[in-house]
Amino acid sequence: MSGQTAENDVCSSAQTGPEPTNMVVEAETKPKKRICCACPETKKVRDECIVEHGESACTKWIEAHRMCLRAEGFNV
């Protein structure tokens, strides 16, 4: 009987709240690459600019890389 109670608890907790819906949405929008491997072109330009000129001078390239990452499905 305790096995049924535990099973019912698991099933009932899985059915309440927004978690099941969120799991489906995350599976559909999950990026296909790791963030370190996404957008190598914009990452290279951004990194070179930061090394040579400092972060404050490279906001254009930083934002371009962020936009690329967002297009790949990352939440940055």
Side-chain angles (χ1 to χ4, degrees):
M1 187 165 183
S2 64
Q4 289 179 337
T5 304
E7 184 178 0
N8 290 339
D9 290 344
V10 171
C11 292
S12 64
S13 66
Q15 293 173 356
T16 61
E19 289 83 23
T21 305
N22 289 342
M23 283 190 235
V24 173
V25 172
E26 288 175 1
E28 293 174 1
T29 60
K30 185 176 179 183
K32 295 178 177 144
K33 302 175 185 176
R34 294 182 307 177
I35 196 165
C36 62
C37 300
C39 303
E41 302 85 15
T42 57
K43 182 179 180 179
K44 181 180 178 184
V45 173
R46 178 204 65 179
D47 291 349
E48 288 175 357
C49 182
I50 291 172
V51 168
E52 292 177 17
H53 306 288
E55 189 173 337
S56 60
C58 301
T59 55
K60 172 182 168 182
W61 300 117
I62 293 169
E63 189 55 35
H65 186 58
R66 286 183 182 158
M67 288 175 54
C68 181
L69 292 173
R70 288 182 194 121
E72 290 284 334
F74 294 99
N75 186 18
V76 290

mmCIF file of all heavy atoms in Angstrom, residues 18-32 73:
data_model
loop_
_atom_site.group_PDB
_atom_site.id
_atom_site.type_symbol
_atom_site.label_atom_id
_atom_site.label_comp_id
_atom_site.label_asym_id
_atom_site.label_seq_id
_atom_site.Cartn_x
_atom_site.Cartn_y
_atom_site.Cartn_z
ATOM 1 N N PRO A 18 3.086 24.448 -13.411
ATOM 2 C CA PRO A 18 3.450 24.658 -14.812
ATOM 3 C C PRO A 18 4.644 23.844 -15.291
ATOM 4 O O PRO A 18 5.051 23.966 -16.427
ATOM 5 C CB PRO A 18 3.799 26.150 -14.837
ATOM 6 C CG PRO A 18 4.318 26.424 -13.466
ATOM 7 C CD PRO A 18 3.491 25.549 -12.561
ATOM 8 N N GLU A 19 5.243 23.007 -14.452
ATOM 9 C CA GLU A 19 6.455 22.298 -14.842
ATOM 10 C C GLU A 19 6.314 21.473 -16.122
ATOM 11 O O GLU A 19 7.156 21.587 -16.995
ATOM 12 C CB GLU A 19 6.963 21.400 -13.707
ATOM 13 C CG GLU A 19 7.548 22.165 -12.548
ATOM 14 C CD GLU A 19 6.469 22.634 -11.590
ATOM 15 O OE1 GLU A 19 5.382 22.045 -11.563
ATOM 16 O OE2 GLU A 19 6.715 23.606 -10.867
ATOM 17 N N PRO A 20 5.277 20.642 -16.293
ATOM 18 C CA PRO A 20 5.199 19.843 -17.515
ATOM 19 C C PRO A 20 5.159 20.703 -18.777
ATOM 20 O O PRO A 20 5.813 20.397 -19.755
ATOM 21 C CB PRO A 20 3.909 19.037 -17.349
ATOM 22 C CG PRO A 20 3.723 18.953 -15.867
ATOM 23 C CD PRO A 20 4.243 20.258 -15.341
ATOM 24 N N THR A 21 4.445 21.800 -18.751
ATOM 25 C CA THR A 21 4.375 22.682 -19.906
ATOM 26 C C THR A 21 5.739 23.282 -20.188
ATOM 27 O O THR A 21 6.183 23.335 -21.325
ATOM 28 C CB THR A 21 3.350 23.808 -19.667
ATOM 29 O OG1 THR A 21 2.105 23.211 -19.329
ATOM 30 C CG2 THR A 21 3.188 24.673 -20.884
ATOM 31 N N ASN A 22 6.436 23.737 -19.145
ATOM 32 C CA ASN A 22 7.755 24.322 -19.314
ATOM 33 C C ASN A 22 8.751 23.322 -19.873
ATOM 34 O O ASN A 22 9.609 23.681 -20.661
ATOM 35 C CB ASN A 22 8.277 24.884 -17.989
ATOM 36 C CG ASN A 22 7.534 26.128 -17.581
ATOM 37 O OD1 ASN A 22 6.882 26.760 -18.403
ATOM 38 N ND2 ASN A 22 7.635 26.475 -16.315
ATOM 39 N N MET A 23 8.643 22.054 -19.462
ATOM 40 C CA MET A 23 9.568 21.042 -19.960
ATOM 41 C C MET A 23 9.431 20.888 -21.462
ATOM 42 O O MET A 23 10.419 20.780 -22.162
ATOM 43 C CB MET A 23 9.309 19.710 -19.276
ATOM 44 C CG MET A 23 9.848 19.632 -17.886
ATOM 45 S SD MET A 23 9.731 17.954 -17.315
ATOM 46 C CE MET A 23 8.811 18.200 -15.826
ATOM 47 N N VAL A 24 8.216 20.911 -21.966
ATOM 48 C CA VAL A 24 7.988 20.768 -23.394
ATOM 49 C C VAL A 24 8.544 21.976 -24.132
ATOM 50 O O VAL A 24 9.232 21.834 -25.135
ATOM 51 C CB VAL A 24 6.476 20.587 -23.692
ATOM 52 C CG1 VAL A 24 6.214 20.614 -25.180
ATOM 53 C CG2 VAL A 24 5.972 19.305 -23.074
ATOM 54 N N VAL A 25 8.309 23.166 -23.627
ATOM 55 C CA VAL A 25 8.789 24.384 -24.265
ATOM 56 C C VAL A 25 10.308 24.398 -24.278
ATOM 57 O O VAL A 25 10.915 24.716 -25.291
ATOM 58 C CB VAL A 25 8.233 25.640 -23.543
ATOM 59 C CG1 VAL A 25 8.877 26.902 -24.062
ATOM 60 C CG2 VAL A 25 6.731 25.700 -23.710
ATOM 61 N N GLU A 26 10.947 24.033 -23.158
ATOM 62 C CA GLU A 26 12.403 24.020 -23.102
ATOM 63 C C GLU A 26 12.984 23.014 -24.076
ATOM 64 O O GLU A 26 14.002 23.276 -24.694
ATOM 65 C CB GLU A 26 12.872 23.704 -21.684
ATOM 66 C CG GLU A 26 12.652 24.834 -20.715
ATOM 67 C CD GLU A 26 13.012 24.457 -19.298
ATOM 68 O OE1 GLU A 26 13.452 23.321 -19.059
ATOM 69 O OE2 GLU A 26 12.839 25.314 -18.421
ATOM 70 N N ALA A 27 12.345 21.866 -24.233
ATOM 71 C CA ALA A 27 12.845 20.861 -25.153
ATOM 72 C C ALA A 27 12.793 21.367 -26.588
ATOM 73 O O ALA A 27 13.662 21.075 -27.388
ATOM 74 C CB ALA A 27 12.046 19.573 -25.007
ATOM 75 N N GLU A 28 11.767 22.146 -26.922
ATOM 76 C CA GLU A 28 11.624 22.646 -28.281
ATOM 77 C C GLU A 28 12.585 23.799 -28.575
ATOM 78 O O GLU A 28 13.037 23.955 -29.691
ATOM 79 C CB GLU A 28 10.187 23.117 -28.518
ATOM 80 C CG GLU A 28 9.187 21.990 -28.507
ATOM 81 C CD GLU A 28 7.765 22.491 -28.594
ATOM 82 O OE1 GLU A 28 7.566 23.704 -28.688
ATOM 83 O OE2 GLU A 28 6.851 21.650 -28.560
ATOM 84 N N THR A 29 12.892 24.629 -27.564
ATOM 85 C CA THR A 29 13.712 25.798 -27.799
ATOM 86 C C THR A 29 15.137 25.626 -27.288
ATOM 87 O O THR A 29 15.905 26.560 -27.315
ATOM 88 C CB THR A 29 13.089 27.035 -27.118
ATOM 89 O OG1 THR A 29 13.007 26.792 -25.724
ATOM 90 C CG2 THR A 29 11.732 27.351 -27.692
ATOM 91 N N LYS A 30 15.497 24.472 -26.812
ATOM 92 C CA LYS A 30 16.828 24.237 -26.277
ATOM 93 C C LYS A 30 17.859 24.382 -27.392
ATOM 94 O O LYS A 30 17.691 23.838 -28.481
ATOM 95 C CB LYS A 30 16.903 22.834 -25.673
ATOM 96 C CG LYS A 30 18.216 22.560 -24.986
ATOM 97 C CD LYS A 30 18.201 21.208 -24.326
ATOM 98 C CE LYS A 30 19.540 20.955 -23.656
ATOM 99 N NZ LYS A 30 19.584 19.627 -23.063
ATOM 100 N N PRO A 31 18.929 25.136 -27.129
ATOM 101 C CA PRO A 31 19.970 25.300 -28.142
ATOM 102 C C PRO A 31 20.580 23.966 -28.543
ATOM 103 O O PRO A 31 20.703 23.060 -27.730
ATOM 104 C CB PRO A 31 21.001 26.181 -27.439
ATOM 105 C CG PRO A 31 20.271 26.832 -26.334
ATOM 106 C CD PRO A 31 19.194 25.886 -25.922
ATOM 107 N N LYS A 32 20.993 23.871 -29.783
ATOM 108 C CA LYS A 32 21.567 22.634 -30.305
ATOM 109 C C LYS A 32 23.057 22.537 -30.035
ATOM 110 O O LYS A 32 23.637 21.477 -30.141
ATOM 111 C CB LYS A 32 21.306 22.546 -31.799
ATOM 112 C CG LYS A 32 19.837 22.430 -32.099
ATOM 113 C CD LYS A 32 19.564 22.386 -33.568
ATOM 114 C CE LYS A 32 18.088 22.197 -33.755
ATOM 115 N NZ LYS A 32 17.511 22.846 -34.833
ATOM 116 N N GLY A 73 19.299 30.440 -29.742
ATOM 117 C CA GLY A 73 18.408 29.894 -28.733
ATOM 118 C C GLY A 73 18.882 30.064 -27.304
ATOM 119 O O GLY A 73 18.255 29.530 -26.384
#
